[in-house]
Every structure is written in structure tokens, then in C-alpha cells.
């Protein structure tokens, strides 16, 4: 993973570590989307991205979020303005809860503001939510 893409994910992680949903949303392109649980959600403007990320940060806060860390996975360079990055995440929780480990793929696009997420594919986190619901 090139250093500028790694730096992008360091900003993304820092926004989550601050539980700042608006800052996370600011790292998405307009329009953008998320694919998860065999469904696609299209975000035509920044407003629904921000609403989603603010709500997600609130869920994390209520669950006892401590911090997120990442390791780069596979990376596909698609020229000057596009890239695909698979990222391995670890989220630490308080009160002795087991950390979550999952992978997410990001289709990135270079904009006038820098790299942004065009599509987030959350393909392994759903199993964590299902396991937690069953507990």
C-alpha cells in the first residue's frame, strides 16, 4: 500500500478513534455508497453519509469503544485517480470484551480534496454483529 493511501487510512482511523462521525464522513466521496449484508446503500449526498457515520460512532461509544487499529491487506493500483484497498481492522472494547477483527474493502477515488471512499464493502463485519445478537 503506497504511503499516501496508508496516510489516508490513518486519518480514517483517527476520525473513528475520536468517535467523530462527521470527520469519518468527510473522507467519503459525493456520491458514495456501502455494500454490506448482500445489499447496497447509495449515498447521493454527504448528508446521509454523515448521518450514518454519526450513528455508527454513537453505537460504538455505547458499546464501549476504546480504539481501532488497521493493517493494510491487498492493494490494487488503478492509475492516478483510483485504487482498491482491503483493510484488516481490529476494534478494542472496554470491560474485557473480545476485540472485533474484520476486513473491509474500499474503492478509493482521488478528488480535489484528496483520496476519498467511493465504495465501502463491509464483507466480514456482519458475522460479528450476528454473533453478538445471538449472545
Amino acid at each position: 500500500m503506497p504511503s499516501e493511501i496508508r496516510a489516508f487510512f490513518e486519518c480514517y482511523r483517527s476520525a473513528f478513534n475520536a468517535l467523530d462521525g462527521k470527520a469519518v464522513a468527510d473522507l467519503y466521496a459525493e456520491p458514495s455508497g456501502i455494500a454490506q449484508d448482500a445489499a447496497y446503500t447509495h449515498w447521493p449526498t454527504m448528508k446521509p453519509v454523515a448521518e450514518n457515520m454519526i450513528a455508527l460512532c454513537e453505537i460504538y461509544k455505547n458499546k464501549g469503544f476504546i480504539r481501532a487499529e488497521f493493517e493494510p491487506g491487498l492493494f490494487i493500483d488503478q492509475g492516478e485517480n483510483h485504487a482498491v484497498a482491503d483493510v484488516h481492522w481490529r476494534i478494542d472494547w472496554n470491560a474485557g470484551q473480545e476485540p472485533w477483527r474484520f476486513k473491509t474493502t474500499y474503492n478509493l477515488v482521488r478528488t480535489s480534496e484528496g483520496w476519498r471512499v467511493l465504495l465501502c464493502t463491509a464483507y466480514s463485519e456482519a458475522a460479528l454483529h450476528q454473533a453478538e445478537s445471538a449472545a
Side-chain angles (χ1 to χ4, degrees):
M1 178 178 288
S3 60
E4 69 177 327
I5 301 294
R6 185 174 183 96
F8 170 82
F9 283 108
E10 288 169 355
C11 289
Y12 191 82
R13 178 205 53 212
S14 293
F16 266 111
N17 282 346
L19 293 175
D20 185 344
K22 173 76 169 74
V24 174
D26 287 345
L27 295 171
Y28 277 72
E30 183 178 37
S32 58
I34 185 168
Q36 64 183 2
D37 302 329
Y40 171 73
T41 302
H42 180 69
W43 292 320
T45 65
M46 293 307 294
K47 183 178 183 221
V49 181
E51 290 170 350
N52 181 84
M53 296 306 170
I54 290 166
L56 180 60
C57 286
E58 188 65 22
I59 289 168
Y60 280 11
K61 178 182 173 185
N62 292 337
K63 180 173 170 37
F65 179 90
I66 296 174
R67 79 182 134 289
E69 293 295 335
F70 76 94
E71 288 295 326
L74 297 174
F75 178 78
I76 301 171
D77 181 345
Q78 295 182 314
E80 287 186 33
N81 297 314
H82 297 276
V84 177
D86 194 59
V87 177
H88 303 232
W89 289 102
R90 174 188 164 124
I91 296 180
D92 293 322
W93 308 101
N94 66 12
Q97 299 176 73
E98 286 294 314
W100 281 5
R101 291 179 176 84
F102 58 94
K103 299 175 187 176
T104 305
T105 300
Y106 302 87
N107 288 60
L108 303 174
V109 61
R110 187 189 307 270
T111 70
S112 59
E113 292 83 34
W115 289 100
R116 295 295 183 263
V117 175
L118 180 62
L119 174 65
C120 170
T121 303
Y123 66 93
S124 72
E125 193 174 0
L128 297 168
H129 294 287
Q130 291 168 354
E132 187 167 282
S133 296

